[in-house]
Amino acid sequence: MAFRFPVRIYWEDTDAGGIVFYANYLKFFERARTEWLRSLGVGQHDLKERTGGMFVVSETSVRYLQPARLDDELLVTAELQEAGRASLVIRQRALLQPGGAELAAGTIRIGWVEAATLRPARIPAMILEAMKQ
Amino acid sequence: MAFRFPVRIYWEDTDAGGIVFYANYLKFFERARTEWLRSLGVGQHDLKERTGGMFVVSETSVRYLQPARLDDELLVTAELQEAGRASLVIRQRALLQPGGAELAAGTIRIGWVEAATLRPARIPAMILEAMKQ
Amino acid sequence: MAFRFPVRIYWEDTDAGGIVFYANYLKFFERARTEWLRSLGVGQHDLKERTGGMFVVSETSVRYLQPARLDDELLVTAELQEAGRASLVIRQRALLQPGGAELAAGTIRIGWVEAATLRPARIPAMILEAMKQ
Amino acid sequence: MAFRFPVRIYWEDTDAGGIVFYANYLKFFERARTEWLRSLGVGQHDLKERTGGMFVVSETSVRYLQPARLDDELLVTAELQEAGRASLVIRQRALLQPGGAELAAGTIRIGWVEAATLRPARIPAMILEAMKQ
């Protein structure tokens, strides 16, 4: 079961083609990942303050299938596809509401790093455990 | 009584100063104005399709009082300060939750234009009536 | 030989991690594609007005290798990797200046569509010819 | 004499109204301020590393007079309007090229703060001197 998070389309999200600017789906995907972590009790700002570590995105791969427009409501999903010690692959989709037509889909690889040095490090066990469930 | 709309701070909203990039408050203010209109039965995309008109922002004046940070939750307000035939002035504030500390405050003047020509036009009466109540 | 375009990093491009927000590389890549087209005599706004068509991005795949920071200067490249009748694949890289360390690299698939309907159409021959040279 | 910096309009800058999204003029203004400082030998990233201080925007007031569109070239100006010990007011304009039609104009107040605490502090004398000339 994927985590689901609603995203509304505002003027800021669109471009002169009359549709959502494709780069913005990466923002929508990240909002959903952030809320997924939050729903598991993981706040990223707190985590950075406490552990000195943070997630950084190391790879993104997205297909844009149908455009979204101003005022559209999307449901954005996030689910764990692959879990390593230092990085995770999250599968994500943006679905138009109502109906669920797939607008964009892709995978995002996030790695854990020390915030000060940006060096890769092991993902804290509690996060990994929470996400695997 | 001002309309109120919650806004969550994500990575996309912050800058290397560790705080919300000031230009983004204009986005938060617009989301609140959009949801306010929607709550009055006014969808901007529909309206543009139907009347050929749209709101454009003609003036913004904002004071940034305290910074917001990643994961913060804001309450953004919108209320009518001044109503003319072709333009409105909306007063808006961003308040940190919980507590309500004022982070940013300002006024936004929006004018009604024909979408094709961008020429000023009279605000449709039904919108004006709805906003005045 | 790839087309090359310089991009400077401003506050707007960074996030609270102190580095460039990854989604913004898609913007840098697009600026380079746009300037590449412009250098070939192809202005996208003019083209849309004249032919009723425009490019839309249908697939993006990017690896983020090293972070960029405020005030960094990047050189962004663009070169044709694959050319079909209705879509092109552009290979792009962001290189730190001076030195040329690779910060991000990927491929962007762009398809030609009728602007009004967003239906796929054949890429105008003059664009295709210009890009292949 | 105002400092002048060219800005090109890309897809990322526009919205579904077919014009530049108004909030983005704040970004253009900031690019011009940053390049102005750089032309005076002041790099903001270096400065933050060296002095532990940075500028933050505390007030923005902008009027949007005419729209800019995809592929337009703008000249953005910056000049000192008012200089205090802890804050400056910069007057800025965005002018369409060629011709110089005024698209947007406003004032930006920036204050100097300690980066770690965000507390107001005195602007380093060398910056103030350089900007006054």
Side-chain angles (χ1 to χ4, degrees), chain A residues 37-62:
Chain A
L37 284 171
R38 197 189 322 279
S39 77
L40 300 171
V42 179
Q44 293 183 71
H45 180 67
D46 287 355
L47 208 61
K48 192 179 161 197
E49 299 285 295
R50 226 173 54 223
T51 70
M54 63 179 184
F55 280 118
V56 293
V57 170
S58 59
E59 233 176 297
T60 60
S61 181
V62 183

Side-chain angles (χ1 to χ4, degrees), chain B residues 40-114:
Chain B
L40 300 171
V42 179
Q44 293 183 75
H45 180 68
D46 286 356
L47 208 62
K48 192 178 161 198
E49 300 284 295
R50 226 171 56 223
T51 69
M54 62 180 186
F55 281 118
V56 292
V57 170
S58 59
E59 232 176 297
T60 60
S61 181
V62 184
R63 282 178 311 126
Y64 307 92
L65 306 162
Q66 283 185 47
R69 292 187 168 78
L70 185 65
D71 286 337
D72 279 350
E73 187 156 14
L74 277 50
L75 203 59
V76 181
T77 69
E79 60 191 315
L80 193 60
Q81 183 175 289
E82 206 185 302
R85 281 182 183 173
S87 76
L88 307 171
V89 177
I90 316 290
R91 169 144 187 79
Q92 303 204 255
R93 302 199 302 156
L95 310 170
L96 184 62
Q97 297 304 300
E102 196 175 45
L103 305 180
T107 54
I108 311 292
R109 180 180 291 273
I110 55 176
W112 188 258
V113 299
E114 295 168 13

Side-chain angles (χ1 to χ4, degrees), chain A residues 101-117:
Chain A
E102 196 176 46
L103 305 180
T107 53
I108 310 293
R109 179 181 292 273
I110 55 176
W112 188 259
V113 300
E114 295 168 14
T117 61

Side-chain angles (χ1 to χ4, degrees), chain C:
Chain C
M1 269 301 292
F3 178 81
R4 288 152 178 267
F5 183 70
V7 166
R8 179 69 79 164
I9 304 304
Y10 297 105
W11 284 103
E12 66 187 85
D13 303 310
T14 60
D15 71 19
I19 58 177
V20 167
F21 185 61
Y22 59 96
N24 291 335
Y25 287 94
L26 291 181
K27 297 184 179 180
F28 305 159
F29 285 174
E30 183 169 285
R31 293 182 202 171
R33 289 197 308 276
T34 296
E35 294 302 338
W36 181 27
L37 285 170
R38 198 189 320 281
S39 75
L40 300 171
V42 179
Q44 294 183 75
H45 181 67
D46 286 355
L47 208 63
K48 193 179 160 196
E49 299 286 294
R50 226 171 58 223
T51 69
M54 63 179 186
F55 280 117
V56 292
V57 170
S58 59
E59 233 176 296
T60 60
S61 181
V62 184
R63 281 176 313 127
Y64 308 92
L65 306 163
Q66 283 184 48
R69 290 188 169 76
L70 186 64
D71 286 336
D72 279 349
E73 187 156 13
L74 277 50
L75 202 59
V76 181
T77 70
E79 60 191 316
L80 192 59
Q81 184 174 290
E82 206 184 303
R85 282 182 182 172
S87 77
L88 307 171
V89 177
I90 316 290
R91 167 141 189 82
Q92 303 204 255
R93 301 198 303 155
L95 309 170
L96 184 61
Q97 295 305 298
E102 196 174 48
L103 304 180
T107 54
I108 311 293
R109 179 180 291 275
I110 56 177
W112 190 257
V113 300
E114 295 168 12
T117 61
L118 296 174
R119 286 216 178 138
R122 279 204 186 188
I123 301 169
M126 61 82 89
I127 298 180
L128 215 47
E129 286 313 305
M131 293 184 87
K132 278 181 174 169
Q133 278 162 4

